[in-house]
Amino acid sequence: MSFLWYILIGMVAGFVAVRLMHGGGFGIIVNLVVGIIGGVLGGWLFGLLGITAGGIIGSLITSVVGAIFLLWIVGLISKTMSR
C-alpha cells in the first residue's frame, strides 16, 4: 500500500510543482516522474538541512520542494544549452 501512496504523492507533487513553476504541464507520466524524482531530491535536500517532515502532508511538501528544485535545474540547463 505504501508504494501506491508514493505514486499518488508523486503525481500530486509533480502536478503542483509544474503549476507553481508556471509550466503548461508535461502530461501525467512526466509529472509523475518529476514528482517521484522530486521526492527523492527533496528528501536529500531536507536531510542536508536537518529538516524532517512526517506524514502524508510532510511527504507532499518535501516532494513538491524537490520537484520545484528539479524543474529549476532543468530550466537552467535548457537555457544554457540553447545558447
Side-chain angles (χ1 to χ4, degrees):
M1 186 68 176
S2 64
F3 182 72
L4 290 175
W5 279 116
Y6 290 130
I7 298 290
L8 290 173
I9 289 172
M11 287 172 54
V12 172
F15 177 79
V16 170
V18 167
R19 296 295 182 235
L20 288 175
M21 294 296 288
H22 302 294
F26 303 109
I28 194 163
I29 300 297
V30 176
N31 285 350
L32 172 67
V33 171
V34 166
I36 291 172
I37 294 172
V40 172
L41 186 60
W44 179 72
L45 288 172
F46 277 31
L48 286 177
L49 298 173
I51 300 171
T52 58
I56 293 174
I57 300 298
S59 297
L60 182 61
I61 291 170
T62 302
S63 296
V64 169
V65 168
I68 288 172
F69 187 72
L70 175 66
L71 291 173
W72 180 70
I73 295 293
V74 168
L76 286 177
I77 292 171
S78 67
K79 285 181 186 176
T80 302
M81 299 200 76
S82 66
R83 287 186 183 177

